[in-house]
Amino acid sequence: MTEQKPQEDSANRWSHNRILTVSLRTVNRGRRAAGILTYSEMRSVKRRLWWAMAVVVILSILVATIGNYISTVRTPTEAIEKHFNNLRDGRYFRAMDRSAYGDDSVVFLKNSIYRQSPGRVESYSIEEIQESGNTATAQVKVKADGKEQLVRLNVVKDHKTGIFNDAWQLAEPGQKLLSVENSFPLDEFFINGYAVDLPDTGAFSPEESSLWKVALLPGKFEFGMPKDSYYSVVGGSYSVGVGFDQGSLKPLQYKLRPSYRMWSETDQEINKWVQECMNSRSLSPEGCPASKTPSEKNITEVEWNLISRPVMYLEQDSQKGDTWHASKYKPAEFAVTYEKNGKKITEKISTPIDATVVSSGKSASIEVKAGEPSESSASPSAKGTDR
């Protein structure tokens, strides 16, 4: 009995291990069966996925086709109504023909600027449309600025690739390009009381002046400069009217002069420079009038005073339009008093004030220093300006 017990324990362990192995195999088979599709099941899933993709594509094409059909202008009447509705409601960019885009020198307005334009369409009615093939001519009664007028408008059919893509549109662009020229670059100008930023690329004519093309729709427009600009328009502003049967617009030549802001800030910088020179205790302060005394040895009690300075006039540089100089028609008078070896001495010094302003409208760089006595000129130019 004692000898048989180890054999029985070994047999029991073998039987238990075999049962456990078979059980694990069965479990693993079940897991593999749950994670693997049969061939027929795989084909079924693929068919369902392809059908879902096909439905999505068909629906997308259908939605795009319906949207294109709805948005396409299919008759001459729709083309006329669309254009005049945009003009009446002040939708500037919708009324703009795509031919205006692509030129860097073209300046576009905001809808808010166009809505402030007097002379814009108040109401309209289509009186007659004569259609002939791919062209049509419309007679439209338009009320603008309180007055009615009969406007003739031509439309054409634009043939495009694809179904439902043929569209009617204006035969001629609804906008007119106004050439605005200035002798130097500007950051902005005013139209109907709103600031319009100007591009700095593609805006230079062969004559070295700046040229912009402003896209305008029917209405009246007031051109000027912002109140806080360093420039003002000679005469105040320019008025430009665009009619419904308008031909080419006459170019607008800006004539600018320093504004009160430029004059005021330049005058302030001159006063600041004078005060800095007066506070110096040197006979030859940098950038200021200088004493004729060759050496400051044994010099004490140096004191500067301004006797007089001329009324300031600003004159445009003959080479750079955005640069202005304070006229040197008359020098400023200074007095410097000092003691040398116990003796009090006073010198009177005459020197022009060299003030230079560089501005493109929004900002300005102002530099002030003492000029050379030989720079004094006879009288201020007629082109200059005082306050």
Side-chain angles (χ1 to χ4, degrees), residues 86-124:
N86 288 332
L87 293 178
R88 181 194 60 199
D89 299 337
R91 294 192 289 261
Y92 174 84
F93 285 99
R94 291 189 182 182
M96 192 70 53
D97 186 82
R98 62 177 177 267
S99 62
Y101 303 105
D103 187 342
D104 290 337
S105 65
V106 173
V107 179
F108 297 98
L109 311 184
K110 296 179 180 178
N111 287 334
S112 56
I113 297 178
Y114 184 55
R115 290 184 182 128
Q116 294 297 319
S117 301
R120 198 164 45 80
V121 173
E122 299 172 15
S123 62
Y124 73 93

Side-chain angles (χ1 to χ4, degrees), residues 2 8 39 58 87 124 126 144 164 177 222 225 228 267 274 299 311 319 330 341 346 385:
T2 304
E8 291 177 358
Y39 179 74
I58 292 171
L87 293 178
Y124 73 93
I126 301 175
F164 307 131
L177 295 181
E222 201 75 15
M225 294 298 292
D228 60 350
D267 196 59
V274 168
I299 299 294
V311 176
Q319 302 296 323
K330 184 179 179 181
N341 298 323
T346 298
T385 180

Side-chain angles (χ1 to χ4, degrees), residues 196-242:
V196 177
D197 292 330
L198 300 175
D200 56 3
T201 57
F204 298 94
S205 67
E207 294 78 17
E208 299 299 328
S209 57
S210 295
L211 179 67
W212 302 274
K213 302 170 188 173
V214 184
L216 299 178
L217 294 169
K220 296 179 180 179
F221 304 88
E222 201 75 15
F223 284 75
M225 294 298 292
K227 290 183 178 179
D228 60 350
S229 173
Y230 284 90
Y231 296 103
S232 61
V233 173
V234 176
S237 63
Y238 304 106
S239 296
V240 177
V242 181

Side-chain angles (χ1 to χ4, degrees), residues 27-301:
V27 170
N28 288 337
R29 287 197 193 100
R31 287 179 179 173
R32 284 200 298 272
I36 297 176
L37 299 176
T38 63
Y39 179 74
S40 61
E41 289 174 333
M42 290 177 62
R43 291 190 62 185
S44 176
V45 170
K46 286 182 178 180
R47 281 197 300 268
R48 287 197 294 268
L49 289 174
W50 278 110
W51 274 111
M53 291 176 62
V55 170
V56 170
V57 170
I58 292 171
L59 287 175
S60 299
I61 294 174
L62 183 62
V63 170
T65 302
I66 294 173
N68 181 62
Y69 181 80
I70 294 174
S71 62
T72 299
V73 180
R74 298 182 301 279
T75 67
T77 300
E78 288 183 8
I80 299 296
E81 289 177 343
K82 178 182 178 182
H83 179 65
F84 279 98
N85 285 341
N86 288 332
L87 293 178
R88 181 194 60 199
D89 299 337
R91 294 192 289 261
Y92 174 84
F93 285 99
R94 291 189 182 182
M96 192 70 53
D97 186 82
R98 62 177 177 267
S99 62
Y101 303 105
D103 187 342
D104 290 337
S105 65
V106 173
V107 179
F108 297 98
L109 311 184
K110 296 179 180 178
N111 287 334
S112 56
I113 297 178
Y114 184 55
R115 290 184 182 128
Q116 294 297 319
S117 301
R120 198 164 45 80
V121 173
E122 299 172 15
S123 62
Y124 73 93
S125 62
I126 301 175
E127 301 295 302
E128 180 185 11
I129 293 182
Q130 294 181 349
E131 185 176 348
S132 176
N134 293 326
T135 63
T137 300
Q139 299 288 341
V140 185
K141 184 184 290 184
V142 180
K143 184 179 180 180
D145 212 12
K147 301 177 182 179
E148 288 187 346
Q149 64 181 107
L150 198 61
V151 177
R152 180 178 177 178
L153 212 59
N154 296 320
V155 291
V156 296
K157 181 183 283 188
D158 183 18
H159 294 282
K160 298 179 181 178
T161 304
I163 60 172
F164 307 131
N165 285 335
D166 291 352
W168 286 86
Q169 62 185 24
L170 299 185
E172 298 292 334
Q175 75 277 356
K176 297 295 179 181
L177 295 181
L178 172 68
S179 296
V180 180
E181 188 174 350
N182 191 54
S183 60
F184 55 90
L186 290 173
D187 301 311
E188 62 180 5
F189 48 53
F190 253 27
I191 301 179
N192 289 346
Y194 289 84
V196 177
D197 292 330
L198 300 175
D200 56 3
T201 57
F204 298 94
S205 67
E207 294 78 17
E208 299 299 328
S209 57
S210 295
L211 179 67
W212 302 274
K213 302 170 188 173
V214 184
L216 299 178
L217 294 169
K220 296 179 180 179
F221 304 88
E222 201 75 15
F223 284 75
M225 294 298 292
K227 290 183 178 179
D228 60 350
S229 173
Y230 284 90
Y231 296 103
S232 61
V233 173
V234 176
S237 63
Y238 304 106
S239 296
V240 177
V242 181
F244 296 96
D245 53 357
Q246 179 77 48
S248 299
L249 295 173
K250 182 180 178 181
L252 175 59
Q253 176 68 57
Y254 256 59
K255 293 182 180 180
L256 300 178
R257 64 183 179 187
S259 67
Y260 177 80
R261 180 182 182 183
M262 182 186 288
W263 179 91
S264 176
E265 292 188 10
T266 304
D267 196 59
Q268 290 175 12
E269 289 298 314
I270 291 176
N271 288 333
K272 181 181 176 181
W273 170 79
V274 168
Q275 191 58 50
E276 290 175 352
C277 292
M278 297 305 97
N279 293 336
S280 176
R281 293 298 174 260
S282 169
L283 290 180
S284 302
E286 185 178 357
C288 294
S291 168
K292 297 178 181 179
T293 303
S295 172
E296 295 196 21
K297 188 176 181 180
N298 299 323
I299 299 294
T300 59
E301 304 298 327

Side-chain angles (χ1 to χ4, degrees), residues 298-301 337-346:
N298 299 323
I299 299 294
T300 59
E301 304 298 327
T337 302
Y338 55 92
E339 289 188 7
K340 183 175 183 180
N341 298 323
K343 183 180 179 180
K344 191 172 185 178
I345 301 173
T346 298

